């Protein structure tokens, strides 16, 4: 969680209408409207794009982090205090992953920030609220309140592809617990539940990562979740 918190505290440069392509990850921080967006490469070859409200005036807020492995983490802060009691995260993963890194660009005319995930999905963030307002391949519901009881406050429904929902966890990423449950849902709504450990491995620092390539994941799910439809690779 400390890495996530640091992503939301970075200093800005400027807002640009030029997007980096999905094969490039450069350390950059920009602001537009109420949005602060940061792209950050890591030492292990990952790349994060974080979106937050830099005009927030309290420790109650919601931010978003996109990663190269198809992860969208919805990060919640519930005030000051121990991380285990005042932070929480909801995680979604989408497949197949078609690009190396997530990317972003500003749409000044529509007053949105557009983040493109490694799956190629577009996520739209409102200039004024800095909150997620839509997604190109799904219906998105965002709760107006920041509360421990609403599972991060974001729901993604009717996704036109394969999505993994790892649920919500206080104090750390849901995928940090290998015994936790994850749920796959395909484009026609069929579901399959597995454990975190079935899908994720862990680096030396404890960070989880998807242990399958898309091709190998499709083969694995064909055996474990035969009713699921894996999108065309």
């Amino acid at each position: 969680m400390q890495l996530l918190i640091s992503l939301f505290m970075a200093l800005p440069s400027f807002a640009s209408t030029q997007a980096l392509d999905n094969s490039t990850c450069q350390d950059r921080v920009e602001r537009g409207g109420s949005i602060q967006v940061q792209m950050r490469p890591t030492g292990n070859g990952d790349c994060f794009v974080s979106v937050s409200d830099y005009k927030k005036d309290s420790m109650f807020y919601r931010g978003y982090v996109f990663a190269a492995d198809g992860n969208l983490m919805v990060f919640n802060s519930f005030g000051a205090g121990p991380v285990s009691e005042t932070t929480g995260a909801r995680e979604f993963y989408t497949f197949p992953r078609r690009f190396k890194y997530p990317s972003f660009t500003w749409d000044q005319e529509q007053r949105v920030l557009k983040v493109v995930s490694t799956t190629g999905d577009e996520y739209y963030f409102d200039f004024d609220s800095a909150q997620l307002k839509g997604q190109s391949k799904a219906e998105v519901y965002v709760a107006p309140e920041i509360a421990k009881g609403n599972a991060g406050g974001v729901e993604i429904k009717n996704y036109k592809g394969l999505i993994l929902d790892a649920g919500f966890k206080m104090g750390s990423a849901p995928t940090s617990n290998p015994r936790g449950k994850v749920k796959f849902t395909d484009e026609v709504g069929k579901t399959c539940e597995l454990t975190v450990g079935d899908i994720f491995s862990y680096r030396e620092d404890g960070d989880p990562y998807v242990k399958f390539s898309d091709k190998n994941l499709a083969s694995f799910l064909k055996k474990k979740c035969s009713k699921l439809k894996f999108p065309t690779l």
Side-chain angles (χ1 to χ4, degrees):
M1 280 292 189
Q2 294 301 327
L3 172 61
L4 297 178
I5 294 171
S6 70
L7 287 172
F8 298 126
M9 300 299 178
L11 296 175
S13 53
F14 58 90
S16 169
T17 57
Q18 182 177 3
L20 293 176
D21 64 51
N22 292 84
S23 63
T24 304
C25 186
Q26 296 180 1
D27 201 349
R28 60 195 287 217
V29 185
E30 298 180 3
R31 285 179 176 176
S34 296
I35 296 172
Q36 176 166 297
V37 57
Q38 179 182 14
M39 175 178 280
R40 180 176 176 180
T42 66
N44 60 25
D46 204 345
C47 180
F48 294 102
V49 170
S50 65
V51 181
S52 60
D53 179 1
Y54 80 91
K55 294 183 179 179
K56 59 184 179 293
D57 56 5
S58 78
M59 289 299 292
F60 285 83
Y61 64 87
R62 180 184 297 126
Y64 304 81
V65 180
F66 297 83
D69 60 358
N71 177 224
L72 165 59
M73 177 180 284
V74 182
F75 175 81
N76 283 235
S77 173
F78 304 110
V83 169
S84 61
E85 299 175 8
T86 61
T87 66
R90 176 79 174 270
E91 287 187 292
F92 302 95
Y93 286 77
T94 51
F95 303 94
R97 295 156 290 184
R98 305 186 185 280
F99 300 110
K100 187 174 182 180
Y101 299 127
S103 64
F104 68 87
T105 189
W106 301 90
D107 187 332
Q108 302 287 351
E109 183 176 346
Q110 297 296 321
R111 292 186 59 78
V112 296
L113 171 75
K114 180 174 72 176
V115 177
V116 180
S117 71
T118 54
T119 323
D121 307 323
E122 297 179 356
Y123 293 79
Y124 309 106
F125 292 87
D126 181 76
F127 262 35
D128 297 319
S129 68
Q131 289 301 305
L132 183 63
K133 63 179 294 185
Q135 205 256 37
S136 59
K137 290 169 56 180
E139 298 172 16
V140 174
Y141 302 90
V142 180
E145 67 277 1
I146 309 298
K148 295 180 181 179
N150 64 11
V154 173
E155 299 292 340
I156 299 176
K157 302 292 186 182
N158 300 320
Y159 177 68
K160 301 306 180 185
L162 184 68
I163 187 167
L164 178 155
D165 184 353
F168 176 81
K169 190 175 188 297
M170 290 291 296
S172 63
T175 50
S176 64
N177 175 16
R179 294 183 296 276
K181 298 294 185 181
V182 298
K183 182 174 74 172
F184 283 95
T185 304
D186 69 13
E187 63 182 29
V188 296
K190 293 181 180 178
T191 63
C192 179
E193 287 196 2
L194 297 170
T195 68
V196 170
D198 288 329
I199 306 300
F200 295 86
S201 291
Y202 298 87
R203 298 186 176 94
E204 290 184 1
D205 61 3
D207 281 349
Y209 66 93
V210 178
K211 61 185 178 183
F212 297 102
S213 67
D214 288 339
K215 182 178 180 180
N216 289 341
L217 178 61
S219 297
F220 176 80
L221 292 179
K222 187 175 182 179
K223 297 176 182 177
K224 292 287 188 177
C225 304
S226 59
K227 293 182 179 180
L228 288 181
K229 178 182 178 182
F230 199 94
T232 303
L233 296 175

